[in-house]
């Protein structure tokens, strides 16, 4: 089976992307030695209702027992108290250092399961079996795990890589269309920051993706994962190149935080954030109008995105509180061409404010 | 300043042992680059009432600001909820990825602060400034951090090494004598498992240590740290040699768990556990009677230790639940001579039960 390899200083593991992979999950786990351990799958009631049967059938066929642990869906449950409850449940079930976790859900479940694996008895093994487009192309790859604090998202966590990632595009058939669209925003981001050919491919194939066609979906996931894997492999701890992945996220996070993570999906906030980044780049003449237009058009095809209530000033203030800024000086990921972004350190408050204002104008015209 | 070096696959840092070190803490932190960051000291109200002024004076002299974060004393507060509260406080105070933590307290504070440092924004730097004998010689060295679950001690955590450890024996002048005695049990353990000369030194100098004499205390701390540093440097993740440090802990943990961590200090439970280990070794004829006697006598000089209510059978059952056992077969650290212990995998239930029964007989005679 073809795979994409993530290779960092601390880990080396494959990401598999294949329709029907869920059916082969147990066999795949046997290959990496997981079957002799006590296995727990962390999932949500929703995912389990759609895919629990297929999941269990795969393991039953191999006579491997798996205990499901349920967590409620939604970002607001991504908290230490839930991780603690899962750890207590594992301990009651007799899980030792050789226990094995499977994250079977979206990004919230992946982040929490990875963190649980990072800290349970100071670290156990786990794999990711992401069930949303966004989790398949983004959060399941790269080893970032964690939970939210009241004061902010992903404020506590660990770097803890999975042993493998298993992406089955067929699972996306039960994904709400809005989540698929928001997820593809991160593919556009990946294309803009690192792969012009992929961008052109997305322009040509977007309608097929939105229709849920299996082959193009598989290709889009593979390509997005490859871009992320290359970046993460070069810079595991976000000291350099990995910051490029924050394209659109400075303003995107400010929007999410000012709307208290309600109303907008992550990818939708990032879409608005990318529009701000494109405007900032254009204002600096770092990006041509033709390329800016193409990025905007592709994003608009993924919309319409929800409006939100926030002043330019309040968003500006929240970008400064963004945990990716160590200093008052604004660090910013600037798209300088389709297929190339750079990290700059010298973005002024004024520039950023102007970009946010442009974005808010677009929102008033095109948001819903 | 002399130091002992801990050098593992993932870390390399010094442990300083020096009377009066607290006064030089700020200067020492400057040397490792901590002064330019936002610094937080995690401590308990008790420690702060004794030593807060001296601590702050050191930093005030260097014009470095340090924010204290208080945690209540006691093992029962070593929980995720407290770590979460500390993280929220840090975040409110504006702590970013370059924030810096100082653990200023006993083992509970050291473990919690280390874990907070491990997970705050996926990992920040910290140093240990342990204030109990036990924390100075044991828990501050080796990078094990974590908190308790309801179901068990240290069930969640991380390996996260400090940048440095600063042990000031003068701080021990405010340590309750019982805690000093219980702490020295772990020095006896270190001597039994790895240093016959140190054992003989302890026999000669125990009274001076118990009287709190600065010079022998400094020497005892140094030697104990050196033994632990050597073992941890060879085996960071407890896959081999590091297990030796569990001498006396299999039964010791069973006692702590069956008494719900009340009534006995950790070192006191370990003392009983070592007596059981000595009896098991003698019953196997792995340890001579003369050496067994010397170990017992040295331990008794640190007592009398509190009695506890637990049947041999219930203690036996709890050893099997000990998280250090991956299998039903009993793994056990066996003292085979003063200065040498080995890990065996073949201890039967019957042997262990007999050793526990011997220990309980001694407890009835000599416990208080």
């Amino acid at each position: 089976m073809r795979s994409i390899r993530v290779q960092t200083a601390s880990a080396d593991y494959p990401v598999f992307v294949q329709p029907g992979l869920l059916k082969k999950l147990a066999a795949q786990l046997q290959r990496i030695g997981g079957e002799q351990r006590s296995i727990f799958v962390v999932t949500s009631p929703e995912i389990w209702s759609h895919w629990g049967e297929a999941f269990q059938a795969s393991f039953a066929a191999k006579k491997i027992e798996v205990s499901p642990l349920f967590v409620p869906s939604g970002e607001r449950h991504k908290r230490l108290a839930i991780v603690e409850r899962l750890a207590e449940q594992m301990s009651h079930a007799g899980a030792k250092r050789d226990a094995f976790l499977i994250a079977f859900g979206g990004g919230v479940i992946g982040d929490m399961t990875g963190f649980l694996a990072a800290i349970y008895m100071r670290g156990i093994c786990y794999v990711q079996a992401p069930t949303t487009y966004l989790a398949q192309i983004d959060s399941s790859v790269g080893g970032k795990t964690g939970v939210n604090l009241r004061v902010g998202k992903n404020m506590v966590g660990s770097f803890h890589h999975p042993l493998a990632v298993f992406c089955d595009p067929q699972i996306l058939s039960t994904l709400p269309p809005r989540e698929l669209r928001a997820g593809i925003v991160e593919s556009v981001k990946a294309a803009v920051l690192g792969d012009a050919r992929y961008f052109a491919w997305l322009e040509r194939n977007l309608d097929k993706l939105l229709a849920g066609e299996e082959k193009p979906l598989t290709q889009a996931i593979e390509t997005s994962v490859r871009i992320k894997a290359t970046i993460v492999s070069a810079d595991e701890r976000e000291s350099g190149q990995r910051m490029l992945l924050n394209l659109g996220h400075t303003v995107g996070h400010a929007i999410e935080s000012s709307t208290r993570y309600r109303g907008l999906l992550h990818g939708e906030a990032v879409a608005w954030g990318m529009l701000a980044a494109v405007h900032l780049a254009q204002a600096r003449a770092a990006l041509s109008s033709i390329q800016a237009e193409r990025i905007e058009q592709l994003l608009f095809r993924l919309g319409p995105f929800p409006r939100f209530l926030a002043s330019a000033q309040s968003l500006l203030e929240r970008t400064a509180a963004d945990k990716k800024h160590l200093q008052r000086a604004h660090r910013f990921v600037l798209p300088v061409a389709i297929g190339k972004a750079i990290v700059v350190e010298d973005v002024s408050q004024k520039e950023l404010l102007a970009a946010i204002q442009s974005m808010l104008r677009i929102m008033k015209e095109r948001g819903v």
Side-chain angles (χ1 to χ4, degrees), chain A residues 268-283:
Chain A
E268 293 168 343
V270 169
W272 291 125
M274 281 181 66
L275 291 169
V278 164
H279 275 256
L280 201 150
Q282 260 193 297

Side-chain angles (χ1 to χ4, degrees), chain A residues 146-184:
Chain A
V147 295
N148 305 330
L149 295 179
R150 263 197 309 268
V151 288
K153 237 176 123 174
N154 298 321
M155 285 295 290
V156 293
S158 281
F159 284 93
H160 188 55
H161 291 277
L163 289 188
V165 182
F166 301 97
C167 301
D168 184 346
Q170 285 179 355
I171 292 182
L172 305 181
S173 63
T174 53
L175 189 68
R178 181 181 165 195
E179 285 198 38
L180 179 62
R181 293 203 316 264
I184 296 173

Side-chain angles (χ1 to χ4, degrees), chain A residues 142-342:
Chain A
K144 281 191 181 179
T145 75
V147 295
N148 305 330
L149 295 179
R150 263 197 309 268
V151 288
K153 237 176 123 174
N154 298 321
M155 285 295 290
V156 293
S158 281
F159 284 93
H160 188 55
H161 291 277
L163 289 188
V165 182
F166 301 97
C167 301
D168 184 346
Q170 285 179 355
I171 292 182
L172 305 181
S173 63
T174 53
L175 189 68
R178 181 181 165 195
E179 285 198 38
L180 179 62
R181 293 203 316 264
I184 296 173
V185 169
E186 293 274 6
S187 283
V188 173
K189 180 202 79 175
V192 169
L193 70 87
D195 190 338
R197 276 183 56 200
Y198 182 38
F199 189 90
W201 183 93
L202 284 169
E203 288 179 316
R204 289 194 306 277
N205 291 280
L206 192 62
D207 295 335
K208 291 179 195 163
L209 290 180
L210 293 176
E213 283 186 33
E214 192 173 290
K215 224 175 133 187
L217 268 180
T218 305
Q219 204 174 332
I221 295 164
E222 266 185 1
T223 312
S224 297
V225 167
R226 188 163 287 122
I227 294 168
K228 178 148 187 191
T230 304
I231 289 175
V232 168
S233 296
D235 172 27
E236 183 176 20
R237 295 286 170 130
E238 200 169 286
S239 50
Q241 215 188 329
R242 190 164 180 169
M243 283 187 286
L244 292 177
L245 296 172
N246 290 324
L247 174 61
H249 282 62
T250 301
V251 174
H253 284 155
I255 295 169
E256 283 186 291
S257 128
S258 82
T259 54
R260 299 180 171 219
Y261 302 93
R262 287 175 199 156
L264 275 81
L265 297 174
H266 175 67
E268 293 168 343
V270 169
W272 291 125
M274 281 181 66
L275 291 169
V278 164
H279 275 256
L280 201 150
Q282 260 193 297
R284 280 197 169 199
L287 181 69
S288 76
S289 305
I290 295 172
Q291 299 215 320
E293 180 103 350
R294 278 177 68 196
I295 298 171
E296 284 186 2
Q297 287 311 317
L298 189 55
L299 287 171
F300 289 148
R301 286 170 66 192
L302 289 166
F305 303 114
R307 294 186 194 185
F308 53 88
L309 260 174
S311 70
Q313 189 59 40
S314 78
L315 289 174
L316 181 68
E317 279 158 22
R318 282 177 196 272
T319 59
D322 186 302
K323 71 171 187 281
K324 266 127 198 167
H325 294 285
L326 289 181
Q327 307 293 339
R328 290 240 148 243
H330 281 281
R331 174 180 289 165
F332 200 83
V333 184
L334 209 63
V336 294
I338 286 172
K340 186 171 166 59
I342 59 171

